Amino acid sequence: MRRTSRRDHAVRRSGGRRTGRITVGLALVPVTLAVLTTGCSLQDATCGGGEYPVLAVGSSGGACTPNGEEPPKGYARYPKGKVPEHVGDKWDQYWETHSVDENGRIIDLPADPGE
C-alpha cells in the first residue's frame, strides 16, 4: 500500500488546480522568450521591413527608401551611427532639430517660431 502525503491530499482536494497553474505558466514561457529573444519593441519602427530611413536635406523631414536603392533627390542617408530606428528614439529626436546640408555636413535647424 502506498502512503500519501499531505500534499497529495491537498492536490486531490483542489481538483488538480496546482497542475492547471503550472500548465498556464508553462504556456506563457514561449511567448516571453519570443519577445525577449527577437528584441521586439513596443515602439513603432522608423521604416518597414526592406526599407531604410533617409533624411530630407536642409529640413527635419524624412522618408523611407527601399533597400538597395539610392535616396530620392533632395534626400540623403543619415550619417553612420546616427540613424533613427524607432519613432521617438534619441536619434529621431535629434533629427527634429538638425539636418544635413547639400555637402552632407550636420546643421542646426532654426527654432520653430511657433514655439
Side-chain angles (χ1 to χ4, degrees):
M1 174 174 259
R2 181 177 173 266
R3 290 185 57 163
T4 59
S5 68
R6 287 185 181 186
R7 183 175 159 268
D8 291 335
H9 289 292
V11 170
R12 282 190 199 133
R13 279 195 307 261
S14 69
R17 278 184 288 191
R18 176 173 284 175
T19 304
R21 288 184 198 143
I22 291 171
T23 302
V24 170
L26 289 174
L28 294 175
V29 169
V31 173
T32 303
L33 287 175
V35 169
L36 293 175
T37 59
T38 60
C40 288
S41 174
L42 298 178
Q43 294 178 312
D44 291 328
T46 302
C47 291
E51 298 177 316
Y52 68 95
V54 292
L55 175 65
V57 174
S59 79
S60 63
C64 295
T65 300
N67 290 342
E69 291 186 19
E70 288 300 312
K73 184 176 170 97
Y75 289 85
R77 293 178 187 270
Y78 284 92
K80 188 173 184 172
K82 297 181 179 185
V83 180
E85 294 181 14
H86 299 283
V87 174
D89 71 12
K90 81 174 188 178
W91 291 117
D92 185 50
Q93 292 177 11
Y94 176 84
W95 292 111
E96 289 177 6
T97 58
H98 298 81
S99 189
V100 292
D101 65 15
E102 58 279 348
N103 297 314
R105 291 182 297 226
I106 296 175
I107 59 171
D108 291 329
L109 292 174
D112 185 3
E115 292 182 356

